Amino acid sequence: MNILFCYPTLFHPMRGGIERVTDILARELLRRGYNVFYLHNKRDESLMDYDYPAPVSFFPEVDFRDNRNVPFYHDFLTGNAIDIVVNQCGNFSDSILYLNVPAGVKTISVLHSNPLLNYAHLPSEVLKLRKRTFMEYLKLAGRFILYPRIKRVYLESCKWQVDYLSSHTDVICLLSGKFKPEMELLSNKDNIGTVFHKIRVIPNPNTYEIKDDAKFNKEKILLYVGRLDKGQKRPDRLLKIWRKLYRRYPDWQMAVVGDGPEKSSLVRKSRDLERISFVGFQEPGEWYRRSAIFCMTSNFEGWGMVLVEAMSQGVVPLAFDSYASVHDIIDDGRNGFLVTPFSINEYAEKLAKLMDDDAQRERIARNCLHGVQRYSKENVVNQWEQLFKELKS
């Protein structure tokens, strides 16, 4: 069976969660005897040195709306005898191109986040001051005035996307069943049955092989892995949390793995803190293996792959209870902890209890290893195979 994965940018696993997920799926599908292809809009020479598991091709035009892409796409699908297209851009309008397929080609559109996630957090993105200049204050005032219209237009675009998928794709794949209420809310009342008939739920696979639970030798490290931006990830909260703890726990340290626009600001603001290190953008596997506790400070996530990655290496996670699918990953008190959004004091208190109790950390870490088994690549790709067979039967 020939499978095509479509996405605007290259599936380089160090660029983000969708890219890592696709790399894992492609390699496992190839191992199982499938033929896999990649097709993208944007070529990036800086990412071409990676040994991609599948042949990489590009549309002739970057803009998905350019009509010259369509005949190329149809020829590509026919020439490579593609059976199924996996549209990894189900949340966005690039789907218009990726779902324009000849008869006989089946399509799966993956929504990599709750379809209303960005809408729910629109105020934090739209109604924020980007720079402390007179012009930026004027722009912010304008956005306040226009906000009701911005919100209405955004909601309509979300509804249009779900309606388009309902009539142009064979399967709508969600990462979590907890996204279904939002799908119902966005669906046309006359079309809810069609939408729900097409929905399947398949989570993301874990990136790493699960750690041997007989070999616990964790260092006293609080770990953050992720992009350093203030809009979604909010690593600035780490500094507030660590400020409450570092004097009480002189044998602990905090490591921040990642890069982004807030890095220089975070480094500057942490100068009076001890034992916090910003190690930059790198493959985080070694940090997962060494660290005892994982700190997620995001406003929201689509899924939260870093949580599963950390748990697979026996790192106990903490996260704010600020998005629905976090409950698919963390069973509060059993394999990690959820914190009331966005209480810095509660977060620090729960960290302190973990830092004080070695036996509790090890017990919860072992529960992490057991819980993430369901997200192993073998289990997840089994679900993909079942879906492929269902579509082609």
Side-chain angles (χ1 to χ4, degrees):
M1 193 179 294
N2 296 338
I3 310 297
L4 172 67
F5 287 92
C6 289
Y7 196 60
T9 55
L10 285 156
F11 291 123
H12 193 297
M14 292 296 286
R15 302 301 293 179
I18 294 173
E19 292 85 349
R20 288 202 305 282
V21 164
T22 306
D23 189 77
I24 293 165
L25 294 178
R27 292 179 186 277
E28 181 62 15
L29 289 171
L30 286 164
R31 191 187 70 79
R32 298 186 185 198
Y34 291 82
N35 297 314
V36 178
F37 302 81
Y38 290 168
L39 185 57
H40 307 282
N41 300 74
K42 302 173 185 176
R43 186 181 184 93
D44 187 338
E45 293 300 333
S46 68
L47 302 179
M48 291 303 295
D49 59 346
Y50 179 68
D51 185 18
Y52 293 96
V56 178
S57 300
F58 298 91
F59 285 98
E61 301 299 328
V62 171
D63 189 343
F64 70 89
R65 293 161 294 195
D66 194 302
N67 289 332
R68 285 170 287 190
N69 286 326
V70 175
F72 166 86
Y73 188 33
H74 284 210
D75 288 344
F76 182 95
L77 294 171
T78 303
N80 291 286
I82 300 298
D83 295 292
I84 297 173
V85 172
V86 180
N87 164 29
Q88 292 284 48
C89 213
N91 291 87
F92 302 100
S93 51
D94 306 72
S95 299
I96 294 172
L97 173 59
Y98 305 151
L99 300 180
N100 186 341
V101 300
V105 178
K106 300 295 184 179
T107 59
I108 302 170
S109 293
V110 186
L111 274 65
H112 284 274
S113 68
N114 183 322
L116 272 177
L117 192 62
N118 290 330
Y119 177 77
H121 295 273
L122 206 56
S124 62
E125 291 298 313
V126 175
L127 303 179
K128 68 178 180 180
L129 185 65
R130 291 168 171 79
K131 294 180 182 178
R132 295 187 180 277
T133 65
F134 178 72
M135 185 56 69
E136 287 298 323
Y137 276 108
L138 285 179
K139 290 179 180 178
L140 179 60
R143 290 196 296 273
F144 266 104
I145 294 169
L146 293 172
Y147 181 70
R149 181 177 182 275
I150 294 171
K151 187 176 180 181
R152 185 174 64 254
V153 170
Y154 194 93
L155 180 60
E156 288 304 314
S157 72
C158 292
K159 290 181 176 180
W160 182 90
Q161 184 71 15
V162 170
D163 186 60
Y164 188 85
L165 293 180
S166 72
S167 58
H168 288 82
T169 195
D170 294 294
V171 169
I172 300 170
C173 185
L174 306 180
L175 300 185
S176 169
K178 292 182 173 62
F179 297 169
K180 288 182 178 180
E182 283 73 17
M183 293 294 290
E184 182 175 0
L185 182 65
L186 292 171
S187 299
N188 185 300
K189 289 183 179 180
D190 298 329
N191 210 27
I192 290 177
T194 300
V195 171
F196 274 72
H197 178 73
K198 292 188 174 186
I199 286 177
R200 304 292 184 277
V201 177
I202 303 179
N204 280 335
N206 182 25
T207 305
Y208 299 98
E209 295 296 327
I210 296 174
K211 178 184 172 71
D212 182 348
D213 67 354
K215 298 177 182 177
F216 274 90
N217 187 25
K218 292 293 189 178
E219 300 175 37
K220 292 184 175 181
I221 299 174
L222 304 179
L223 177 65
Y224 171 91
V225 175
R227 190 171 63 255
L228 303 184
D229 74 70
K230 202 170 181 178
Q232 176 189 352
K233 302 294 186 180
R234 293 300 304 271
D236 55 299
R237 292 183 176 128
L238 290 171
L239 306 189
K240 297 175 183 179
I241 293 164
W242 186 232
R243 196 175 296 280
K244 292 178 176 292
L245 298 172
Y246 79 95
R247 291 188 182 91
R248 291 168 55 188
Y249 298 95
D251 54 341
W252 282 78
Q253 62 178 299
M254 176 172 281
V256 180
V257 179
D259 209 338
E262 289 296 310
K263 182 178 180 180
S264 59
S265 173
L266 292 168
V267 171
R268 184 176 66 255
K269 292 176 181 178
S270 67
R271 284 175 182 165
D272 64 326
L273 299 173
E274 299 173 7
R275 302 182 311 283
I276 180 170
S277 54
F278 294 83
V279 302
F281 179 74
Q282 57 184 266
E283 210 291 319
E286 182 59 28
W287 285 102
Y288 288 136
R289 288 184 281 275
R290 291 172 56 192
S291 302
I293 302 174
F294 185 82
C295 299
M296 175 180 277
T297 53
S298 303
N299 281 338
F300 60 91
E301 294 285 338
W303 171 249
M305 273 194 71
V306 288
L307 290 176
V308 178
E309 291 175 352
M311 293 164 71
S312 74
Q313 304 304 297
V315 192
V316 178
L318 277 83
F320 288 113
D321 189 1
S322 57
Y323 65 101
S325 59
V326 72
H327 289 269
D328 289 354
I329 302 171
I330 296 179
D331 182 358
D332 189 28
R334 185 179 180 279
N335 63 357
F337 290 97
L338 297 175
V339 179
T340 304
F342 291 97
S343 173
I344 299 300
N345 288 335
E346 182 183 331
Y347 204 117
E349 288 169 8
K350 289 190 173 183
L351 271 178
K353 289 179 181 178
L354 272 175
M355 295 161 79
D356 284 331
D357 193 337
D358 295 351
Q360 183 191 35
R361 286 201 313 278
E362 183 164 332
R363 174 179 59 79
I364 294 176
R366 292 185 187 281
N367 289 340
C368 288
L369 300 181
H370 176 74
V372 297
Q373 292 281 355
R374 64 188 184 276
Y375 302 126
S376 70
K377 66 182 178 184
E378 290 79 12
N379 287 338
V380 171
V381 175
N382 284 346
Q383 295 176 63
W384 277 99
E385 274 203 292
Q386 182 178 346
L387 178 55
F388 292 161
K389 291 172 183 176
E390 177 187 333
L391 281 175
K392 296 303 291 184
S393 62

